Amino acid sequence: MIELQQLRENRDTLIERLQIRGYASAAEELDKVLSLDAERRRVITRLEGMRAEMNTVSKSIGRLIQEGKKEQAAAAQKKTGQMKEDIKFYEESLEKIEKEMDLILINVPNPPHPSVPKGKSAEDNEIVYRNDIEVTLPANAKPHWDLIKDLDIVSLDLGVKISGAGFPVYIGKGARLQRALIQYFLDEAEKAGYVEIQPPLMVNEASGYGTGQLPDKEGQMYHVQIDDLYLIPTAEVPITNLYRDTILKDSQLPVKNCGYTPCFRREAGSYGKHVRGLNRLHQFDKVEIVQVVEPEISYQVLDTMVEHVKGLLQNLGLPFRIALLCGGDMGFTSAKTFDMEVYSAAQEQWLEVSSISNFETFQSNRLKLRYKDADRQTRLPHTLNGSALALPRIFASILENNQNEDGSVTIPEVLRPYTRFDFIGRD
RNA sequence: GGAAGCGUGGCAGAGUGGUCGAAUGCGGCGGUCUUGAAAACCGUUGUACCGCGAGGUACCAGGGGUUCGAAUCCCUUCGCUUCCGCCA
């Protein structure tokens, strides 16, 4: 959520930044908030004046009663009736104004960083990096949905039987490869200084709101209605919400956390070849990295997170590129996002395997996550996170890019200590 | 799931209708003393909002109510503890 004080001071800049997303109604909505804010302050001034008066009268009544001056006390009590009504009236009108303000502010997306390119869709994203790994596939190369069947390492059909489409079952070496990737990613994150967290997989409404999934993505999360809990769509939600309603000391920054969790997404409205095989699932595994940092360094930190993920992909030997997302393709809560995309030669398409974002104060403001800076001022820190990495598409592209003529798949060097086998489909 | 009890500042813990944002202790911060440290002593130490300022308002788990006045009384939600039941 954008900061009210920012809005008061930098209205024009914020509107300009929101234009990068093509957020057409920015000026209209923000001006509405500003006028409500002015009204709100007028009402508060009035209301607090009346409350102060009321408090004075109440105290004097107390004093009179103690002194035994009952008649004077009774006379004073009579006067309070109208005051109470006035106070109630202003309280109600204040509440109404604040609700109206919140309703608008909650639904305004994060203003993009000025370096974010304008644009409407993925086609306008800027490719800022591409590594030099080239893959030459055997003539009989297959997409992963065929490979998993041939090798009998993932069953989509069994998933359909016990759950539904989008819930794969990993079997044998498939399961072990999956676990190896998790272990490898976590080990690398810990080497980079991230503290591992194992969070709950269900969160309450306040948490969904804090990181911005609610109300924006209401329909995208699984909602367990009987207990009013949401299955997490990403570890970002529980791990960042750890710091909700918290004031950190500057010595506690930067916060660097990582965590492995399954992620649950309803993916309502998805269809076609993008959902084929492991490309898009209702449940998938992911290792997430999260940081809470001082605003001054957040964009340097964003770069280090990109470098971290780059290293993982490079070590896995996968061909990949990095896209700087344009305004129109960015998530609701992000100020700047880089996507990492792995090339799947067998599918002949780029698959998004990671998304790394700086949220600036958008989340910390909602979370009431603050810190005391060196001058003991309370400020909002910047929050960042990134996938490092999302498993299924990595799994798929390892299969596709490392397949051999005999139908087997070669395991990348770095994973072998974890898998304890070098090939799938060859013993 | 049933019953009882409890929920106060970073922590511990007073406070059961009136000047309580809240005693006291510990912790934190600043200082005196000291070659330095410890101890001792002095001071200071919640958050948010309104106001140019003086200052004011709100917050004692959350919400609602009673009252001129609520941390204190009532209702309700949530959480914690203990006992019983169930159970990996």
Side-chain angles (χ1 to χ4, degrees), chain A residues 1-215:
Chain A
M1 188 154 75
I2 60 173
E3 297 170 66
L4 196 51
Q5 204 183 327
Q6 278 292 314
L7 174 57
R8 286 183 196 145
E9 289 165 10
N10 303 312
R11 170 197 175 272
D12 296 348
T13 315
L14 286 179
I15 289 173
E16 233 170 83
R17 285 175 64 175
L18 281 165
Q19 302 300 354
I20 297 174
R21 284 183 182 272
Y23 194 70
S25 49
E28 187 193 325
E29 289 181 10
L30 294 189
D31 284 342
K32 177 71 180 161
V33 170
L34 282 172
S35 81
L36 283 167
D37 178 48
E39 199 185 337
R40 169 178 159 273
R41 291 203 263 182
R42 277 197 296 275
V43 171
I44 286 176
T45 306
R46 275 267 184 82
L47 175 62
E48 291 189 347
M50 289 188 286
R51 278 181 179 160
E53 202 185 332
M54 187 76 180
N55 287 342
T56 311
V57 172
S58 291
K59 280 178 187 174
S60 72
I61 289 173
R63 212 174 301 118
L64 288 170
I65 289 173
Q66 279 181 344
E67 290 167 4
K69 298 174 181 168
K70 285 185 185 161
E71 279 165 32
Q72 286 181 48
Q77 278 181 18
K78 273 184 194 161
K79 290 197 305 190
T80 59
Q82 184 61 42
M83 291 168 75
K84 277 176 90 170
E85 271 178 44
D86 289 347
I87 287 174
K88 194 159 196 175
F89 173 81
Y90 278 99
E91 277 174 349
E92 277 165 8
S93 94
L94 177 64
E95 197 180 333
K96 211 177 120 198
I97 291 165
E98 289 185 333
K99 264 190 189 154
E100 203 178 334
M101 277 173 77
D102 279 349
L103 191 66
I104 299 173
L105 282 173
I106 279 172
N107 288 295
V108 174
N110 199 346
H113 188 268
S115 65
V116 170
K118 277 195 183 183
K120 285 182 180 160
S121 67
E123 281 154 38
D124 301 314
N125 296 342
E126 269 177 29
I127 305 304
V128 295
Y129 177 85
R130 182 168 177 175
N131 74 347
D132 52 11
I133 294 174
E134 297 286 344
V135 173
T136 36
L137 291 181
N140 58 347
K142 296 172 178 172
H144 72 269
W145 48 82
D146 289 335
L147 292 168
I148 57 174
K149 247 188 192 162
D150 296 350
L151 297 166
D152 195 23
I153 52 172
V154 181
S155 171
L156 301 172
D157 295 338
L158 286 173
V160 169
K161 178 162 87 176
I162 59 173
S163 300
F167 293 94
V169 176
Y170 295 82
I171 300 163
K173 283 187 171 178
R176 189 107 66 85
L177 174 56
Q178 182 86 343
R179 187 152 53 85
L181 284 164
I182 293 163
Q183 184 81 12
Y184 171 63
F185 293 152
L186 282 174
D187 283 357
E188 290 299 306
E190 293 200 59
K191 267 188 223 162
Y194 293 90
V195 175
E196 184 180 349
I197 305 286
Q198 278 197 30
L201 306 182
M202 292 196 213
V203 294
N204 56 28
E205 189 180 355
S207 298
Y209 171 81
T211 32
Q213 279 71 26
L214 292 174

Side-chain angles (χ1 to χ4, degrees), chain A residues 383-404:
Chain A
T383 61
L384 305 96
N385 69 48
S387 358
L389 285 159
L391 281 266
R393 294 179 193 161
I394 293 289
F395 189 101
S397 52
I398 286 174
L399 297 184
E400 292 181 4
N401 289 328
N402 294 7
Q403 59 185 302
N404 305 307

